[in-house]
Amino acid sequence: MPCLLVLIAVAFPRLVLVLTWLFSNTLERAYHTILVPLIGFFFLPVTTLVYAWMFNAHMRLEGFNLILLVVAVLIDAGSHGSGADYYRRRN
């Protein structure tokens, strides 16, 4: 079951962010204002989810947890890069 949740979060991170915001206070505990999750919604949705999960699970940002956060940033960066490549090839 946890693997399925991770796959859904990676496949549809913005949907998971909205559902998390609507049905839990996970984002409110991790981010004290709405500004950071809102910016994360548009630019780094997977990273926003991973950081909120780590914060609420009381995990430190060191070692393997830091690697997870870096992987989340790379997933987000890869999604932005592939979109730009698609539009460049299209024209």
Side-chain angles (χ1 to χ4, degrees):
M1 185 68 173
C3 291
L4 180 63
L5 293 176
V6 169
L7 288 175
I8 291 171
V10 171
F12 308 103
R14 289 178 178 90
L15 176 66
V16 173
L17 268 174
V18 169
L19 292 175
T20 303
W21 177 69
L22 287 174
F23 297 113
S24 75
N25 61 354
T26 302
L27 294 176
E28 293 171 8
R29 286 189 303 227
Y31 307 105
H32 300 294
T33 65
I34 192 69
L35 183 65
V36 175
L38 188 63
I39 292 171
F41 177 83
F42 291 108
F43 297 109
L44 299 170
V46 176
T47 306
T48 305
L49 283 171
V50 169
Y51 179 79
W53 167 67
M54 285 182 176
F55 184 86
N56 286 296
H58 304 290
M59 297 178 172
R60 294 179 181 236
L61 284 177
E62 58 187 25
F64 183 71
N65 296 335
L66 186 59
I67 292 171
L68 285 177
L69 196 63
V70 169
V71 168
V73 170
L74 292 175
I75 290 171
D76 285 329
S79 68
H80 291 297
S82 63
D85 186 45
Y86 168 77
Y87 285 112
R88 198 174 320 120
R89 280 188 280 138
R90 189 171 146 197
N91 291 332

